[in-house]
């Protein structure tokens, strides 16, 4: 009686077999699409604009119609509930469905959504360009120094010293505090490197210094190699080089966020972006939406998802939004998984319970698994609440925490 569609990553081009297997094991009919092409790069779109439309939004909708028909034809009854769950590109697919095809699903999960390619991929290119254009670029040793400094300053601010920053917004970290001085020449930064780090946290800005899109959060530094290698993340480079500028040899070092992100919006925004906060049609259909994002994500800025959630609440009105949309931030988690936090949790079960019982989830139990063993459990709290230690009991057990 339930259908669950699963999303893709990056440029898609493959069926998500692992997610399909997990979904069937959980008792759902499952469906995935390669979005109409093979291969995890942008080459499929060259000379084939219709394939880019498929990737951007159409393929998931067509997949859903076919899946519903297949379920009805092959089982004793139709699927009375249909859900979608995806992370990264899958998170963008999730929001594209809610915005463009609001009647397709009863419930949607959008994890670390790459919902705003013109801005998110633009931020990724910006970050790489800032680093590459520096006289002394940041490398992994500097990323580690930054992370050590952030954790030392901010880990215990939530009352629990566990290597996880519960709320990076309360951190207040300034990379200038790590500038070498007083004879210290190791485990520190040059003034130029500290400025690169500051710009990475800030994100791109217009010519008047106003933010265009958030940068990555404190606590994500060990993964900054994702953004600041010899060239940008391939997905980001290809988006701007191929789709925006139609030049595979484009020099990313010339990227000017104030100029080029608006150009991206003009040229591909209508097709690729899924940033519309007006989800009224989806909610009128009875739809429920769960957003989640790891605070330690080094690829897609977590603050971008927080910003979108705020825009949804403003567009719908807080009362309507609170009854139909939930955001869960995951302390320490990297991009969709990994990192130092409790990155294992069942958002689908939370969504299914919400849709069926009309009771919005206030917390989702999460765990950290190492070498097949659960070493920590912790609640994920509906934003803006966060897990708060009661003051007694093990700090590795969820029962010791409230959402406040």
């Amino acid at each position: 009686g339930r259908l669950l569609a699963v999303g893709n990553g990056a440029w898609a081009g493959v069926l998500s077999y692992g997610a399909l297997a997990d979904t069937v094991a959980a008792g759902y009919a499952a469906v995935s699409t390669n979005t109409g092409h093979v291969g995890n790069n942008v080459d499929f779109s060259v000379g084939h604009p219709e394939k880019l439309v498929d990737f951007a939004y159409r393929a998931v909708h067509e997949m859903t119609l076919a899946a519903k028909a297949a379920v009805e034809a092959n089982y004793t009854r139709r699927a009375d509930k249909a859900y979608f769950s995806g992370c990264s590109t899958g998170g963008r697919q999730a929001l594209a469905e809610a915005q463009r095809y609001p009647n397709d699903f009863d419930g949607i999960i959008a994890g670390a959504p790459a919902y705003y390619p013109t801005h998110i991929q633009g931020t990724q290119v910006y970050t790489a360009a800032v680093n590459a254009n520096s006289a002394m670029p940041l490398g992994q040793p500097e990323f580690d120094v930054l992370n050590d400094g952030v954790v030392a300053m901010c880990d215990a601010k939530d009352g629990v010293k566990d290597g996880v920053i519960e709320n990076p917004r309360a951190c207040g970290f300034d990379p200038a505090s790590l500038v070498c001085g007083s004879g210290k020449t190791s485990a520190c930064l040059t003034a130029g490197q500290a400025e690169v780090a500051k710009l990475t946290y800030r994100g791109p800005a217009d010519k008047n210094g106003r933010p265009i899109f958030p940068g990555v959060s404190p606590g994500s530094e060990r993964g900054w190699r994702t953004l600041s290698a010899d060239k940008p993340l391939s997905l980001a480079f290809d988006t701007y080089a191929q789709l925006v500028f139609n030049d595979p040899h484009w020099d990313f070092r010339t990227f000017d966020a104030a100029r080029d992100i608006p150009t991206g919006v003009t040229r591909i925004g209508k097709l690729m972006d899924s940033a519309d906060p007006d989800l009224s049609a989806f909610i009128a259909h009875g739809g429920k939406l769960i957003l989640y994002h790891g605070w330690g994500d080094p690829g897609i800025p977590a603050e971008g998802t927080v910003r979108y959630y705020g825009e949804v609440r403003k567009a719908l009105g807080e009362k309507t939004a609170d009854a139909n949309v939930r955001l869960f931030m995951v302390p320490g988690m990297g991009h969709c998984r990994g990192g130092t936090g409790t990155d294992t949790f069942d958002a689908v079960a939370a969504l299914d319970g919400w849709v069926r019982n009309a009771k919005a989830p206030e917390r989702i139990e999460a765990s950290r698994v190492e070498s097949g063993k659960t070493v920590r459990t912790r609640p994920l709290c509906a934003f803006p609440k966060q897990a708060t230690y009661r003051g007694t009991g093990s700090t590795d057990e969820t029962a010791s925490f409230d959402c406040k």
Side-chain angles (χ1 to χ4, degrees), residues 1 3 24 53 55 58 63-64 91 98 100 124 159 162 186 199 209 222 224 279 286-287 303 310 336 356 372 379:
L3 168 69
V24 170
V53 175
F55 170 77
R58 186 168 57 196
M63 170 200 76
T64 304
R100 293 178 183 265
Q124 292 166 341
D162 55 2
S186 62
L199 294 174
R222 291 194 192 279
W224 281 9
L279 304 180
E303 283 283 2
C336 297
R356 291 180 175 276

PDB file of all heavy atoms in Angstrom, residues 1 3 24 53 55 58 63-64 91 98 100 124 159 162 186 199 209 222 224 279 286-287 303 310 336 356 372 379:
ATOM      1  N   GLY A   1       0.786  -1.223   0.000  1.00  0.00           N
ATOM      2  CA  GLY A   1       0.000   0.000   0.000  1.00  0.00           C
ATOM      3  C   GLY A   1       0.818   1.273   0.000  1.00  0.00           C
ATOM      4  O   GLY A   1       0.267   2.363   0.093  1.00  0.00           O
ATOM      5  N   LEU A   3       4.273   3.397  -1.797  1.00  0.00           N
ATOM      6  CA  LEU A   3       5.311   3.533  -2.815  1.00  0.00           C
ATOM      7  C   LEU A   3       6.335   4.552  -2.334  1.00  0.00           C
ATOM      8  O   LEU A   3       5.953   5.618  -1.851  1.00  0.00           O
ATOM      9  CB  LEU A   3       4.695   4.013  -4.138  1.00  0.00           C
ATOM     10  CG  LEU A   3       5.668   4.475  -5.231  1.00  0.00           C
ATOM     11  CD1 LEU A   3       6.456   3.285  -5.778  1.00  0.00           C
ATOM     12  CD2 LEU A   3       4.912   5.186  -6.355  1.00  0.00           C
ATOM     13  N   VAL A  24      12.743  -1.685  -0.521  1.00  0.00           N
ATOM     14  CA  VAL A  24      11.964  -2.923  -0.621  1.00  0.00           C
ATOM     15  C   VAL A  24      12.031  -3.689   0.702  1.00  0.00           C
ATOM     16  O   VAL A  24      11.028  -4.227   1.177  1.00  0.00           O
ATOM     17  CB  VAL A  24      12.477  -3.787  -1.792  1.00  0.00           C
ATOM     18  CG1 VAL A  24      11.840  -5.171  -1.759  1.00  0.00           C
ATOM     19  CG2 VAL A  24      12.173  -3.107  -3.122  1.00  0.00           C
ATOM     20  N   VAL A  53      16.243  18.923 -19.510  1.00  0.00           N
ATOM     21  CA  VAL A  53      14.919  19.086 -18.900  1.00  0.00           C
ATOM     22  C   VAL A  53      14.562  17.839 -18.100  1.00  0.00           C
ATOM     23  O   VAL A  53      14.040  17.925 -16.981  1.00  0.00           O
ATOM     24  CB  VAL A  53      13.851  19.370 -19.974  1.00  0.00           C
ATOM     25  CG1 VAL A  53      12.460  19.418 -19.345  1.00  0.00           C
ATOM     26  CG2 VAL A  53      14.147  20.675 -20.698  1.00  0.00           C
ATOM     27  N   PHE A  55      16.644  15.745 -16.675  1.00  0.00           N
ATOM     28  CA  PHE A  55      17.459  15.759 -15.465  1.00  0.00           C
ATOM     29  C   PHE A  55      16.944  16.778 -14.466  1.00  0.00           C
ATOM     30  O   PHE A  55      16.885  16.513 -13.263  1.00  0.00           O
ATOM     31  CB  PHE A  55      18.919  16.072 -15.818  1.00  0.00           C
ATOM     32  CG  PHE A  55      19.790  16.340 -14.623  1.00  0.00           C
ATOM     33  CD1 PHE A  55      20.256  15.298 -13.835  1.00  0.00           C
ATOM     34  CD2 PHE A  55      20.128  17.644 -14.269  1.00  0.00           C
ATOM     35  CE1 PHE A  55      21.042  15.544 -12.713  1.00  0.00           C
ATOM     36  CE2 PHE A  55      20.912  17.906 -13.160  1.00  0.00           C
ATOM     37  CZ  PHE A  55      21.382  16.850 -12.380  1.00  0.00           C
ATOM     38  N   ARG A  58      11.755  16.691 -15.180  1.00  0.00           N
ATOM     39  CA  ARG A  58      10.700  15.915 -15.826  1.00  0.00           C
ATOM     40  C   ARG A  58      10.807  14.411 -15.570  1.00  0.00           C
ATOM     41  O   ARG A  58       9.797  13.715 -15.423  1.00  0.00           O
ATOM     42  CB  ARG A  58      10.704  16.197 -17.331  1.00  0.00           C
ATOM     43  CG  ARG A  58       9.542  15.557 -18.094  1.00  0.00           C
ATOM     44  CD  ARG A  58       9.466  16.117 -19.511  1.00  0.00           C
ATOM     45  NE  ARG A  58      10.729  15.926 -20.234  1.00  0.00           N
ATOM     46  CZ  ARG A  58      11.033  16.579 -21.358  1.00  0.00           C
ATOM     47  NH1 ARG A  58      10.184  17.475 -21.855  1.00  0.00           N
ATOM     48  NH2 ARG A  58      12.182  16.347 -21.974  1.00  0.00           N
ATOM     49  N   MET A  63       8.674   9.123 -14.082  1.00  0.00           N
ATOM     50  CA  MET A  63       8.939   7.908 -13.323  1.00  0.00           C
ATOM     51  C   MET A  63       7.808   7.623 -12.336  1.00  0.00           C
ATOM     52  O   MET A  63       7.343   6.484 -12.187  1.00  0.00           O
ATOM     53  CB  MET A  63      10.251   8.050 -12.555  1.00  0.00           C
ATOM     54  CG  MET A  63      10.530   6.958 -11.538  1.00  0.00           C
ATOM     55  SD  MET A  63      11.755   7.445 -10.294  1.00  0.00           S
ATOM     56  CE  MET A  63      10.769   8.535  -9.247  1.00  0.00           C
ATOM     57  N   THR A  64       7.349   8.667 -11.658  1.00  0.00           N
ATOM     58  CA  THR A  64       6.309   8.505 -10.641  1.00  0.00           C
ATOM     59  C   THR A  64       4.992   8.048 -11.245  1.00  0.00           C
ATOM     60  O   THR A  64       4.324   7.150 -10.710  1.00  0.00           O
ATOM     61  CB  THR A  64       6.124   9.831  -9.886  1.00  0.00           C
ATOM     62  OG1 THR A  64       7.389  10.233  -9.335  1.00  0.00           O
ATOM     63  CG2 THR A  64       5.110   9.699  -8.767  1.00  0.00           C
ATOM     64  N   GLY A  91      17.757  15.715  -3.073  1.00  0.00           N
ATOM     65  CA  GLY A  91      17.040  16.742  -2.329  1.00  0.00           C
ATOM     66  C   GLY A  91      16.478  17.813  -3.240  1.00  0.00           C
ATOM     67  O   GLY A  91      15.382  18.337  -3.009  1.00  0.00           O
ATOM     68  N   ALA A  98       7.786  18.907  -5.172  1.00  0.00           N
ATOM     69  CA  ALA A  98       6.833  19.652  -4.340  1.00  0.00           C
ATOM     70  C   ALA A  98       6.376  20.932  -5.022  1.00  0.00           C
ATOM     71  O   ALA A  98       5.211  21.337  -4.897  1.00  0.00           O
ATOM     72  CB  ALA A  98       7.468  19.967  -2.986  1.00  0.00           C
ATOM     73  N   ARG A 100       6.762  21.755  -8.581  1.00  0.00           N
ATOM     74  CA  ARG A 100       6.271  21.644  -9.954  1.00  0.00           C
ATOM     75  C   ARG A 100       5.129  20.636 -10.108  1.00  0.00           C
ATOM     76  O   ARG A 100       4.252  20.811 -10.967  1.00  0.00           O
ATOM     77  CB  ARG A 100       7.419  21.243 -10.891  1.00  0.00           C
ATOM     78  CG  ARG A 100       8.501  22.307 -11.037  1.00  0.00           C
ATOM     79  CD  ARG A 100       9.608  21.798 -11.940  1.00  0.00           C
ATOM     80  NE  ARG A 100      10.719  22.731 -12.081  1.00  0.00           N
ATOM     81  CZ  ARG A 100      10.846  23.617 -13.072  1.00  0.00           C
ATOM     82  NH1 ARG A 100       9.912  23.689 -14.012  1.00  0.00           N
ATOM     83  NH2 ARG A 100      11.904  24.415 -13.138  1.00  0.00           N
ATOM     84  N   GLN A 124      30.063  27.133  -4.716  1.00  0.00           N
ATOM     85  CA  GLN A 124      31.155  26.162  -4.765  1.00  0.00           C
ATOM     86  C   GLN A 124      32.285  26.647  -5.670  1.00  0.00           C
ATOM     87  O   GLN A 124      33.468  26.500  -5.339  1.00  0.00           O
ATOM     88  CB  GLN A 124      30.608  24.805  -5.226  1.00  0.00           C
ATOM     89  CG  GLN A 124      29.680  24.162  -4.206  1.00  0.00           C
ATOM     90  CD  GLN A 124      28.879  22.992  -4.772  1.00  0.00           C
ATOM     91  OE1 GLN A 124      28.737  22.847  -5.980  1.00  0.00           O
ATOM     92  NE2 GLN A 124      28.344  22.163  -3.882  1.00  0.00           N
ATOM     93  N   GLY A 159      27.274  22.326  26.416  1.00  0.00           N
ATOM     94  CA  GLY A 159      27.323  21.649  27.708  1.00  0.00           C
ATOM     95  C   GLY A 159      27.834  20.235  27.653  1.00  0.00           C
ATOM     96  O   GLY A 159      27.932  19.573  28.685  1.00  0.00           O
ATOM     97  N   ASP A 162      31.996  16.489  23.199  1.00  0.00           N
ATOM     98  CA  ASP A 162      31.936  15.199  22.512  1.00  0.00           C
ATOM     99  C   ASP A 162      32.496  15.260  21.098  1.00  0.00           C
ATOM    100  O   ASP A 162      32.329  14.324  20.312  1.00  0.00           O
ATOM    101  CB  ASP A 162      30.489  14.704  22.447  1.00  0.00           C
ATOM    102  CG  ASP A 162      29.538  15.710  21.795  1.00  0.00           C
ATOM    103  OD1 ASP A 162      30.017  16.778  21.355  1.00  0.00           O
ATOM    104  OD2 ASP A 162      28.332  15.433  21.735  1.00  0.00           O
ATOM    105  N   SER A 186      53.807  26.706  13.476  1.00  0.00           N
ATOM    106  CA  SER A 186      53.088  25.498  13.053  1.00  0.00           C
ATOM    107  C   SER A 186      51.704  25.485  13.697  1.00  0.00           C
ATOM    108  O   SER A 186      51.466  26.165  14.700  1.00  0.00           O
ATOM    109  CB  SER A 186      53.862  24.233  13.438  1.00  0.00           C
ATOM    110  OG  SER A 186      54.011  24.145  14.844  1.00  0.00           O
ATOM    111  N   LEU A 199      36.312  34.233   4.094  1.00  0.00           N
ATOM    112  CA  LEU A 199      35.462  34.359   2.911  1.00  0.00           C
ATOM    113  C   LEU A 199      34.715  33.058   2.622  1.00  0.00           C
ATOM    114  O   LEU A 199      33.594  33.072   2.116  1.00  0.00           O
ATOM    115  CB  LEU A 199      36.303  34.761   1.705  1.00  0.00           C
ATOM    116  CG  LEU A 199      36.930  36.163   1.771  1.00  0.00           C
ATOM    117  CD1 LEU A 199      37.857  36.390   0.581  1.00  0.00           C
ATOM    118  CD2 LEU A 199      35.856  37.238   1.826  1.00  0.00           C
ATOM    119  N   GLY A 209      28.809  44.136  -0.736  1.00  0.00           N
ATOM    120  CA  GLY A 209      29.100  43.310   0.422  1.00  0.00           C
ATOM    121  C   GLY A 209      27.908  42.569   0.988  1.00  0.00           C
ATOM    122  O   GLY A 209      28.016  41.915   2.027  1.00  0.00           O
ATOM    123  N   ARG A 222      37.317  19.913   7.749  1.00  0.00           N
ATOM    124  CA  ARG A 222      38.131  18.762   7.313  1.00  0.00           C
ATOM    125  C   ARG A 222      37.719  18.279   5.926  1.00  0.00           C
ATOM    126  O   ARG A 222      38.509  17.611   5.239  1.00  0.00           O
ATOM    127  CB  ARG A 222      38.041  17.629   8.323  1.00  0.00           C
ATOM    128  CG  ARG A 222      38.732  17.940   9.637  1.00  0.00           C
ATOM    129  CD  ARG A 222      38.945  16.708  10.498  1.00  0.00           C
ATOM    130  NE  ARG A 222      39.355  17.065  11.844  1.00  0.00           N
ATOM    131  CZ  ARG A 222      40.603  17.382  12.199  1.00  0.00           C
ATOM    132  NH1 ARG A 222      41.567  17.373  11.304  1.00  0.00           N
ATOM    133  NH2 ARG A 222      40.866  17.701  13.453  1.00  0.00           N
ATOM    134  N   TRP A 224      36.818  20.401   3.429  1.00  0.00           N
ATOM    135  CA  TRP A 224      36.880  21.513   2.475  1.00  0.00           C
ATOM    136  C   TRP A 224      37.636  21.168   1.204  1.00  0.00           C
ATOM    137  O   TRP A 224      37.531  21.894   0.208  1.00  0.00           O
ATOM    138  CB  TRP A 224      37.517  22.743   3.125  1.00  0.00           C
ATOM    139  CG  TRP A 224      36.563  23.503   4.004  1.00  0.00           C
ATOM    140  CD1 TRP A 224      35.316  23.117   4.397  1.00  0.00           C
ATOM    141  CD2 TRP A 224      36.798  24.778   4.608  1.00  0.00           C
ATOM    142  NE1 TRP A 224      34.756  24.067   5.212  1.00  0.00           N
ATOM    143  CE2 TRP A 224      35.638  25.101   5.357  1.00  0.00           C
ATOM    144  CE3 TRP A 224      37.864  25.668   4.604  1.00  0.00           C
ATOM    145  CZ2 TRP A 224      35.525  26.283   6.088  1.00  0.00           C
ATOM    146  CZ3 TRP A 224      37.767  26.847   5.326  1.00  0.00           C
ATOM    147  CH2 TRP A 224      36.595  27.152   6.060  1.00  0.00           C
ATOM    148  N   LEU A 279       4.835  26.538  -1.289  1.00  0.00           N
ATOM    149  CA  LEU A 279       4.455  25.123  -1.360  1.00  0.00           C
ATOM    150  C   LEU A 279       2.972  24.934  -1.079  1.00  0.00           C
ATOM    151  O   LEU A 279       2.536  23.844  -0.678  1.00  0.00           O
ATOM    152  CB  LEU A 279       5.286  24.312  -0.359  1.00  0.00           C
ATOM    153  CG  LEU A 279       6.808  24.425  -0.492  1.00  0.00           C
ATOM    154  CD1 LEU A 279       7.491  23.576   0.568  1.00  0.00           C
ATOM    155  CD2 LEU A 279       7.281  24.021  -1.880  1.00  0.00           C
ATOM    156  N   GLY A 286      -2.371  17.863   0.724  1.00  0.00           N
ATOM    157  CA  GLY A 286      -2.174  17.080   1.941  1.00  0.00           C
ATOM    158  C   GLY A 286      -0.727  16.700   2.176  1.00  0.00           C
ATOM    159  O   GLY A 286      -0.418  15.902   3.063  1.00  0.00           O
ATOM    160  N   GLY A 287       0.183  17.260   1.371  1.00  0.00           N
ATOM    161  CA  GLY A 287       1.586  16.884   1.439  1.00  0.00           C
ATOM    162  C   GLY A 287       2.298  17.343   2.701  1.00  0.00           C
ATOM    163  O   GLY A 287       2.006  18.405   3.252  1.00  0.00           O
ATOM    164  N   GLU A 303      23.456  26.361   5.898  1.00  0.00           N
ATOM    165  CA  GLU A 303      22.681  27.576   6.124  1.00  0.00           C
ATOM    166  C   GLU A 303      21.753  27.885   4.952  1.00  0.00           C
ATOM    167  O   GLU A 303      20.748  28.577   5.116  1.00  0.00           O
ATOM    168  CB  GLU A 303      23.605  28.763   6.376  1.00  0.00           C
ATOM    169  CG  GLU A 303      24.215  28.810   7.759  1.00  0.00           C
ATOM    170  CD  GLU A 303      23.244  29.284   8.839  1.00  0.00           C
ATOM    171  OE1 GLU A 303      22.077  29.546   8.523  1.00  0.00           O
ATOM    172  OE2 GLU A 303      23.680  29.414   9.997  1.00  0.00           O
ATOM    173  N   GLY A 310      13.211  29.131   6.195  1.00  0.00           N
ATOM    174  CA  GLY A 310      12.677  30.414   6.641  1.00  0.00           C
ATOM    175  C   GLY A 310      11.820  31.074   5.577  1.00  0.00           C
ATOM    176  O   GLY A 310      10.777  31.684   5.887  1.00  0.00           O
ATOM    177  N   CYS A 336      25.148  14.437   3.527  1.00  0.00           N
ATOM    178  CA  CYS A 336      24.171  13.328   3.521  1.00  0.00           C
ATOM    179  C   CYS A 336      24.483  12.238   4.534  1.00  0.00           C
ATOM    180  O   CYS A 336      23.579  11.546   5.002  1.00  0.00           O
ATOM    181  CB  CYS A 336      24.017  12.696   2.126  1.00  0.00           C
ATOM    182  SG  CYS A 336      23.357  13.826   0.874  1.00  0.00           S
ATOM    183  N   ARG A 356       0.319   9.406   8.051  1.00  0.00           N
ATOM    184  CA  ARG A 356      -0.765   8.490   8.440  1.00  0.00           C
ATOM    185  C   ARG A 356      -1.473   8.932   9.712  1.00  0.00           C
ATOM    186  O   ARG A 356      -2.691   8.724   9.846  1.00  0.00           O
ATOM    187  CB  ARG A 356      -0.210   7.073   8.613  1.00  0.00           C
ATOM    188  CG  ARG A 356       0.217   6.429   7.299  1.00  0.00           C
ATOM    189  CD  ARG A 356       0.760   5.030   7.513  1.00  0.00           C
ATOM    190  NE  ARG A 356       1.067   4.376   6.248  1.00  0.00           N
ATOM    191  CZ  ARG A 356       0.175   3.725   5.504  1.00  0.00           C
ATOM    192  NH1 ARG A 356      -1.081   3.635   5.909  1.00  0.00           N
ATOM    193  NH2 ARG A 356       0.519   3.163   4.369  1.00  0.00           N
ATOM    194  N   GLY A 372      30.130  -1.253  12.720  1.00  0.00           N
ATOM    195  CA  GLY A 372      28.936  -2.059  12.909  1.00  0.00           C
ATOM    196  C   GLY A 372      28.321  -1.977  14.295  1.00  0.00           C
ATOM    197  O   GLY A 372      27.332  -2.645  14.569  1.00  0.00           O
ATOM    198  N   PRO A 379      18.877  12.610  19.914  1.00  0.00           N
ATOM    199  CA  PRO A 379      17.716  13.054  19.143  1.00  0.00           C
ATOM    200  C   PRO A 379      18.092  14.147  18.153  1.00  0.00           C
ATOM    201  O   PRO A 379      18.922  15.014  18.438  1.00  0.00           O
ATOM    202  CB  PRO A 379      16.773  13.596  20.218  1.00  0.00           C
ATOM    203  CG  PRO A 379      17.689  14.103  21.287  1.00  0.00           C
ATOM    204  CD  PRO A 379      18.860  13.150  21.290  1.00  0.00           C
TER     205      PRO A 379
END
